[in-house]
Amino acid sequence: QVQLVESGGGLVQAGGSLRLSCAATGFSFRFVGRGMGWYRQAPGKQRDLVAAFTSSGAIDYADAVKGRFTMSRDNAKNTVYLEMSRLKPEDTGVYYCKGPRIGGTDYWGQGTQVTVSS
């Protein structure tokens, strides 16, 4: 059974840092697929890509976070991380970890709230 559990969200002042974690079971992050990674949804807005693996295993970042956010993975822990620095109020939202697509179904975590105060 595929499960993704995010953690690490919270309230932080602008300019601060947070590290989000996404621990997975039921599949391995060793074999990442295109689009797997981190997405966020601000209040009243759609869910957008923050950082995701490409089909070759490289990482794409949204322009708004380039140079500030870094995604990485620990295969031994089957966990993907999102290191966020120089946070801005516009980074506020619920951050979701996206796992694999299996049988036409995309697997997501439950989300973790990040709030950046000005």
Side-chain angles (χ1 to χ4, degrees):
Q1 183 179 3
V2 174
Q3 284 191 320
L4 302 107
V5 179
E6 301 101 332
S7 61
L11 173 64
V12 64
Q13 287 188 330
S17 300
L18 282 175
R19 187 177 81 157
L20 306 183
S21 300
C22 174
T25 56
F27 73 99
S28 174
F29 274 123
R30 290 181 187 271
F31 310 105
V32 292
R34 179 175 174 270
M36 290 170 61
W38 291 95
Y39 294 72
R40 72 184 176 194
Q41 188 165 17
K45 296 189 176 181
Q46 67 181 21
R47 192 175 298 184
D48 290 326
L49 179 145
V50 175
F53 292 103
T54 67
S55 56
S56 65
I59 300 172
D60 277 341
Y61 293 93
D63 287 343
V65 308
K66 284 180 181 176
R68 300 188 298 120
F69 291 12
T70 302
M71 184 170 73
S72 61
R73 57 178 161 166
D74 184 331
N75 291 334
K77 295 182 179 180
N78 207 28
T79 299
V80 168
Y81 302 97
L82 185 69
E83 297 273 3
M84 306 185 294
S85 63
R86 290 182 282 141
L87 284 159
K88 304 175 181 181
E90 51 264 44
D91 294 319
T92 293
V94 179
Y95 283 68
Y96 295 92
C97 178
K98 183 181 179 185
R101 171 172 288 185
I102 300 174
T105 298
D106 288 326
Y107 285 84
W108 295 86
Q110 82 287 353
T112 185
Q113 176 71 44
V114 172
T115 303
V116 184
S117 63
S118 57

